[in-house]
Amino acid sequence: MYDSHAARKIAESRALDSADQEIIVKAMDDGIETVWDRFADQQPQCGFGQLGVCCNRCAMGPCRIEPFGKKPTRGVCGATADLIVARNLLDDLSTGAAAHSDHGREVLEVLLDTAEGRSQGYQILDEEKLQTVAAEYGIQTDGRKKEEVAGDLARAMLEEYGTLKNRIQMTERAPQKTKDAWKNAGIVPRSVDREIVESMHRIHMGVGADYANILLHAMRTSLADGWGGSMMATEGSDILFGTPTPCTSLANLGTLSSDQVNVVLHGHNPILSEMIVKAAEDPELVKRAAEKGAKGINLVGMCCTGNELLMRHGIPIAGTLLDQELAIATGAVEVMVIDYQCIFPSIAHTAGCYHTRVVATSAKSKVPGATYMEFRPETGLDTAKEIIALAIENFPNRNPDRVRIPAKPVRMMAGFSEEAIKKALGGSYKPLIDAIVAGSVRGVVGIVGCNNPKIKQDYGHITLAKELIKRNILVVETGCAAIASGKAGLLVPEAADLAGDGLKAVCNAVGIPPVLHMGSCVDCSRILVLAAHVADELGVGIGDLPLGGAAPEWYSQKAISIGTYFVASGVYTVLGIPPKIFGSQNVIDLLTSQLDGIVNASFAVEPDPMKAADLLEAVIEKKRHALGI
Ligand code: SF4
Ligand code: MSK
């Protein structure tokens, strides 16, 4: 047991947000093991692993390379440090690309089921987007029912996963100059599954032995994610559930309710959670909750399933990756519904310390100790109602003596899809472009990605975002980075007071925050589309724009794919957590400088967010100079 002062100090070292700190102290008081405890237990972490020079790829290994030039300098098969590092990176990136893209495939399958009348509770909500995307695919829309068009579109998009035409349609959205760079480098993605499968082939022992060739394929695979699987996830979700428009909501663990049934929706895919939103409004279930003594049913989001619901419905968001155990430690969660990705494998173990039930819903993501209620599109709404009923039944099991909910959720805005940003600007990007050309806004940076116990939760995101807006750089965000900004109060128009005079004037004129929440991790594709539109209006490539990207606290293989498709698309990107590449100077050189000559962008690694702001600003100013603005 910690004394309260020591516990407070530990909590302050783990998280920036005071609501998080409060529950970290409670978790310690309750004797709950969290991610920070397990991280401490793992110290010191393996130096070979951190450098990326260990290989466990075949049964002649495991092998590791001595980083200081001593023996062994090659694995049993003869692989060098360069090759081992590059193969490990491609392995991680492809895992991330697969996760995003498989999520996209499931959305499209529900779209097809809905078009063909097989799903339960779903409908096609955004007909305008349906028509626009269908036109891109050359699908006839005139005089046809929306279900017919949606069926053709879903089939065309599903075909992109293994297409024989060697081209993913949505890559056509990129500016010509950007596409030319891909073509010259030989990294135009051919189909989603093909690039990922080929990655797996290339990293098998005895296939790719040239680290540079492997890294070029990493770029191609990431493009198949960003301009393929992720973009299709975003567009398919918009067509089914509506394209987000600006909305207000609340953030942090204080969004949990002391007198309502609390259901936390955690993971990434919105297809089931959209049905849970409907089920929670069912009068019969609302009545049943009242009979159990609850004042209602309170849905809150977590991670990117939370972001999807926040963007489209204004459902409050309880937190990020590192908040999942803390939400349970409030003692106030009846059910945590999980789909997949970013769910701690120990989450049901944590829930076992309280009355919380974890409900797993995907056949791909079963979790020991969780109740399994399989989601299927044809029974989606029924399953959602069963989950809400389970939460209601569990409400009387809540022990009020073990409940602690932070007092104050923070007000925030979300819903800034690319379309919504354009609309907020008056229907065209001209006001933003004019402000950039005039210099009142110097450029735009996308801050994306996760939390990681290697850095105080949210410190990297918030320090960087505040510093950039102070320097008149507009910030757009997705994923846990956006949730962090919500908790820190940066996602409201009043936060423009923290911005430099130029950005502040633009935000005040348009009525937007200086940090815009653009959605979930797959919605990084919205940032690509925004960049493509602005580049097209200026007649340049994405790599010519005063743009930057940052992932200050990333942990996930998906973030490697996102960072790489940003760079491959021409966006200079700074990573706050060092990737596992430092065992190879050649890989470092290629990723941090040589890529500039190929895609007009590169990576940097900078753990200090203030220095990261300097790097991003310098690149933005360099691009401005080259554009003559
Ligand atoms: Fe060792 Fe080569 Fe096998 Fe990797 S692929 S484990 S370096 S023998
Ligand atoms: S949820 S991938 S921790 S952003 Fe998308 Fe957050 Fe990273 Fe998961």
Side-chain angles (χ1 to χ4, degrees):
M1 187 59 93
Y2 299 91
D3 72 57
S4 58
H5 179 71
R8 191 83 223 155
K9 283 277 159 219
I10 292 170
E12 284 170 9
S13 73
R14 289 178 172 180
L16 188 69
D17 175 61
S18 59
D20 290 336
Q21 291 171 3
E22 185 179 336
I23 304 305
I24 289 171
V25 172
K26 179 176 188 289
M28 284 192 275
D29 283 348
D30 289 357
I32 303 305
E33 179 189 274
T34 60
V35 61
W36 291 280
D37 303 314
R38 296 189 294 274
F39 179 66
D41 288 345
Q42 286 291 335
Q43 300 310 310
Q45 288 178 303
C46 171
F48 293 100
Q50 283 176 328
L51 294 172
V53 289
C54 63
C55 182
N56 201 12
R57 209 161 289 291
C58 86
M60 292 190 281
C63 304
R64 61 189 194 192
I65 304 299
E66 234 298 323
F68 302 111
K70 294 190 210 135
K71 280 204 152 191
T73 55
R74 290 182 185 269
V76 175
C77 67
T80 60
D82 294 338
L83 178 59
I84 290 174
V85 167
R87 277 196 313 212
N88 287 343
L89 189 67
L90 178 57
D91 193 350
D92 279 349
L93 181 148
S94 303
T95 304
H100 280 151
S101 301
D102 200 42
H103 159 172
R105 188 196 316 255
E106 284 195 14
V107 172
L108 299 174
E109 284 173 346
V110 174
L111 181 61
L112 183 60
D113 285 339
T114 303
E116 295 182 349
R118 283 189 302 271
S119 68
Q120 183 195 44
Y122 298 88
Q123 51 185 313
I124 292 150
L125 271 187
D126 191 339
E127 277 190 64
E128 193 181 330
K129 180 159 271 196
L130 171 67
Q131 306 269 338
T132 308
V133 182
E136 286 180 61
Y137 277 81
I139 292 166
Q140 180 65 38
T141 56
D142 285 350
R144 299 182 76 201
K145 282 204 215 146
K146 64 180 178 183
E147 287 77 14
E148 288 171 343
V149 176
D152 283 355
L153 179 61
R155 274 185 288 273
M157 288 173 129
L158 284 166
E159 203 259 341
E160 301 272 55
Y161 282 78
T163 184
L164 298 178
K165 65 182 188 290
N166 281 338
R167 185 180 61 86
I168 295 173
Q169 178 59 43
M170 295 224 185
T171 58
E172 292 301 323
R173 292 178 167 189
Q176 193 56 48
K177 195 173 168 190
T178 305
K179 286 187 288 194
D180 289 345
W182 296 343
K183 199 164 167 214
N184 292 336
I187 57 172
V188 177
R190 294 159 296 178
S191 78
V192 178
D193 290 350
R194 178 172 187 167
E195 304 311 355
I196 295 165
V197 170
E198 189 171 309
S199 294
M200 295 295 106
H201 183 191
R202 282 170 178 247
I203 62 177
H204 189 280
M205 201 307 276
V207 185
D210 176 341
Y211 76 91
N213 189 254
I214 284 187
L215 294 176
L216 278 179
H217 185 68
M219 312 258 286
R220 177 157 58 178
T221 306
S222 75
L223 291 172
D225 172 5
W227 297 86
S230 280
M231 203 169 276
M232 289 192 281
T234 296
E235 299 297 45
S237 298
D238 282 356
I239 290 167
L240 271 174
F241 308 126
T243 301
T245 55
C247 59
T248 54
S249 188
L250 297 168
N252 83 18
L253 293 168
T255 55
L256 291 164
S257 168
S258 60
D259 51 15
Q260 299 183 68
V261 175
N262 287 313
V263 178
V264 178
L265 301 152
H266 177 22
H268 277 76
N269 198 322
I271 50 181
L272 172 63
S273 47
E274 279 282 340
M275 288 304 105
I276 290 186
V277 173
K278 277 194 182 180
E281 289 163 359
D282 182 288
E284 178 54 38
L285 289 169
V286 173
K287 189 167 146 243
R288 217 187 295 173
E291 285 162 7
K292 293 285 178 188
K295 293 223 170 102
I297 300 163
N298 182 44
L299 302 182
V300 299
M302 175 82 45
C303 286
C304 282
T305 291
N307 277 328
E308 298 271 357
L309 299 176
L310 170 67
M311 290 285 285
R312 295 196 179 86
H313 302 282
I315 303 274
I317 188 112
T320 61
L321 175 84
L322 295 189
D323 287 312
Q324 57 190 291
E325 293 164 318
L326 301 183
I328 290 172
T330 63
V333 175
E334 275 60 56
V335 160
M336 177 176 277
V337 188
I338 56 174
D339 48 82
Y340 42 56
Q341 300 169 21
C342 302
I343 294 146
F344 290 148
S346 54
I347 196 71
H349 176 73
T350 310
C353 303
Y354 300 91
H355 74 300
T356 305
R357 299 278 295 270
V358 175
V359 177
T361 57
S362 167
K364 291 169 193 168
S365 181
K366 293 194 177 176
V367 173
T371 304
Y372 183 56
M373 298 170 83
E374 184 166 321
F375 163 76
R376 275 180 276 123
E378 59 272 28
T379 51
L381 190 54
D382 287 346
T383 307
K385 286 182 184 173
E386 282 170 37
I387 292 171
I388 294 290
L390 180 75
I392 293 168
E393 289 305 312
N394 200 20
F395 181 72
N397 297 327
R398 191 192 289 183
N399 178 351
D401 295 339
R402 296 191 73 204
V403 171
R404 177 158 184 168
I405 297 172
K408 271 199 179 164
V410 177
R411 208 163 46 81
M412 64 175 291
M413 276 182 88
F416 289 98
S417 57
E418 177 268 321
E419 293 85 347
I421 293 175
K422 193 170 171 185
K423 197 165 171 210
L425 290 168
S428 107
Y429 292 110
K430 195 167 177 305
L432 178 63
I433 292 170
D434 287 350
I436 290 174
V437 170
S440 50
V441 174
R442 309 302 296 172
V444 182
V445 168
I447 305 181
V448 304
C450 326
N451 288 141
N452 187 320
K454 291 180 175 175
I455 176 171
K456 178 170 168 168
Q457 183 185 8
D458 300 345
Y459 170 78
H461 294 309
I462 301 310
T463 310
L464 180 60
K466 281 186 172 169
E467 194 55 30
L468 290 174
I469 62 173
K470 201 159 94 189
R471 301 181 192 194
N472 291 310
I473 295 167
L474 177 69
V475 172
V476 294
E477 295 193 326
T478 61
C480 288
I483 302 170
S485 285
K487 292 193 290 182
L490 297 182
L491 302 187
V492 285
E494 302 87 294
D497 289 342
L498 301 173
D501 287 344
L503 178 60
K504 182 177 169 180
V506 171
C507 290
N508 287 343
V510 184
I512 56 170
V515 179
L516 300 177
H517 190 329
M518 289 190 75
S520 65
C521 294
V522 293
D523 292 338
C524 289
S525 61
R526 298 191 198 275
I527 300 176
L528 296 179
V529 174
L530 176 68
H533 283 318
V534 173
D536 278 342
E537 291 208 16
L538 289 170
V540 298
I542 293 176
D544 299 313
L545 296 174
L547 290 185
E553 304 183 29
W554 72 278
Y555 92 90
S556 154
Q557 293 121 313
K558 292 175 286 172
I560 298 179
S561 183
I562 294 170
T564 308
Y565 69 64
F566 270 19
V567 170
S569 301
V571 182
Y572 170 76
T573 297
V574 184
L575 303 176
I577 302 286
K580 297 168 193 160
I581 61 169
F582 283 82
S584 165
Q585 191 57 47
N586 281 330
V587 170
I588 294 172
D589 290 347
L590 192 144
L591 295 179
T592 60
S593 64
Q594 290 160 13
L595 284 183
D596 251 324
I598 302 171
V599 289
N600 208 1
S602 61
F603 279 105
V605 179
E606 178 47 69
D608 179 343
M610 296 298 283
K611 289 184 185 158
D614 290 343
L615 292 173
L616 287 158
E617 186 182 37
V619 166
I620 282 171
E621 292 304 327
K622 194 172 117 199
K623 302 262 175 176
R624 292 183 62 88
H625 184 72
L627 281 172
I629 58 175

